[in-house]
Amino acid sequence: MDGNGRWAQMRGRPRLFGHQAGARRVREIVEACPDLGIRYLTIFAFSTENWRRTQVEVAGLMTLFRRYIQKEATALLDKGVRVRFIGDRDRLDPKLVGMMHALEEITSGNDLVNLTVAINYGGRDEVARATKRLAREVAAGRLDPEDVDAETLAHFLDTCLLPDPDLVIRTSGEARISNFLLWQSAYAEYEFTPVLWPDFTAAHFAEIVGNYSARERRYGAVLS
Ligand code: FPP
């Protein structure tokens, strides 16, 4: 969800104004999923690198996450959305972590759209945390190192219950992955759009998904 800061700056407003506008966009994009045939949507809300931003911006984003959960919980529940969070919760405020957990619990019976929100998430950090958990199993004698393969490691990732992404969309004209779902995106298609996230509508989303549907995916094989 890139481009919130620039969107605000273009309007002479503080960066948080852009994040607030960005948060309002999320609802429209989530609601567009069923018609587009999308059952899994993952949004990148805060990276492990975002702590380097000013204290005002970080605190503002954390407040925005709490408000978002408070404000949207009922609508998400009613619309059939199951919410999950990925990322390292250890560095997050316990109150926010409690709210994240509660939202996961109350929406756990839903299955129309599976919305995953990445907060304090980094692909490398996720693989490192998964490796630590895997190493503990080996040290405890519950896992034989000879049995470790890609599937074993994937089992320890935050995303262990989610399918790999088919399509990764980055807004705002940047053409970088920025540590997002590194392991899981091995065969994902990428789409980069110049549109800033607060301007990204359901129509933009539908157009990109349409382009994706026209692509042929080979997964390393040769198709006739
Ligand atoms: C990146 O844009 C955006 C973020 C770091 C924050 C994204 C968070 C939201 C949209 C809030 C919504 C959250 C939820 C949980 C629904 P940027 O600040 O890097 O923009 P810039 O590249 O223009 O500076």
Side-chain angles (χ1 to χ4, degrees):
M1 299 188 287
D2 201 10
N4 297 342
R6 272 163 287 168
W7 187 89
Q9 271 157 8
M10 282 160 60
R11 287 158 179 78
R13 303 294 296 266
R15 297 177 58 81
L16 267 172
F17 182 70
H19 295 314
Q20 285 158 358
R24 284 194 293 276
R25 274 292 167 212
V26 173
R27 183 190 271 221
E28 179 180 338
I29 298 304
V30 173
E31 286 180 1
C33 285
D35 281 349
L36 294 173
I38 295 170
R39 280 194 51 226
Y40 290 86
L41 175 74
T42 303
I43 55 174
F44 203 176
F46 193 90
S47 78
T48 45
E49 289 71 39
N50 285 152
W51 297 105
R52 295 191 201 129
R53 297 190 174 197
T54 65
Q55 207 260 328
V56 170
E57 186 171 353
V58 170
L61 278 166
M62 295 299 153
T63 303
L64 193 56
F65 298 149
R66 285 201 305 273
R67 286 215 189 112
Y68 176 83
I69 294 174
Q70 240 164 15
K71 248 180 67 186
E72 297 292 321
T74 311
L76 289 162
L77 184 62
D78 292 348
K79 296 233 154 75
V81 181
R82 177 173 188 168
V83 184
R84 295 183 180 89
F85 293 90
I86 55 170
D88 186 358
R89 300 184 193 200
D90 287 354
R91 202 175 160 183
L92 299 175
D93 176 54
K95 189 173 168 216
L96 172 61
V97 174
M99 294 172 75
M100 288 158 54
H101 184 70
L103 186 59
E104 287 180 325
E105 286 293 308
I106 61 161
T107 61
S108 63
N110 284 347
D111 196 33
L112 183 66
V113 178
N114 288 268
L115 171 66
T116 302
V117 186
I119 297 185
N120 194 25
Y121 176 85
R124 287 183 172 180
D125 179 68
E126 181 192 27
V127 172
R129 284 185 290 106
T131 307
K132 202 186 287 182
R133 290 201 283 263
L134 188 154
R136 283 200 197 107
E137 292 301 297
V138 171
R142 289 191 288 265
L143 182 62
D144 182 344
E146 292 307 317
D147 292 337
V148 175
D149 57 15
E151 203 184 316
T152 319
L153 183 60
H155 176 76
F156 291 91
L157 294 171
D158 297 350
T159 52
C160 61
L161 299 173
L162 305 171
D164 286 344
D166 295 308
L167 171 64
V168 177
I169 303 171
R170 181 164 186 158
T171 55
S172 92
E174 308 290 350
R176 292 188 296 274
I177 301 169
S178 297
N179 216 357
F180 185 60
L181 298 179
L182 292 182
W183 173 282
Q184 299 84 344
S185 299
Y187 290 101
E189 299 283 328
Y190 282 88
E191 284 278 353
F192 300 96
T193 170
V195 178
L196 304 177
W197 174 257
D199 291 329
F200 190 75
T201 62
H204 292 121
F205 191 30
E207 191 188 339
I208 289 177
V209 172
N211 293 343
Y212 159 81
S213 305
R215 293 193 198 179
E216 180 189 41
R217 298 179 75 205
R218 290 197 292 264
Y219 302 95
V222 178
L223 300 183
S224 54

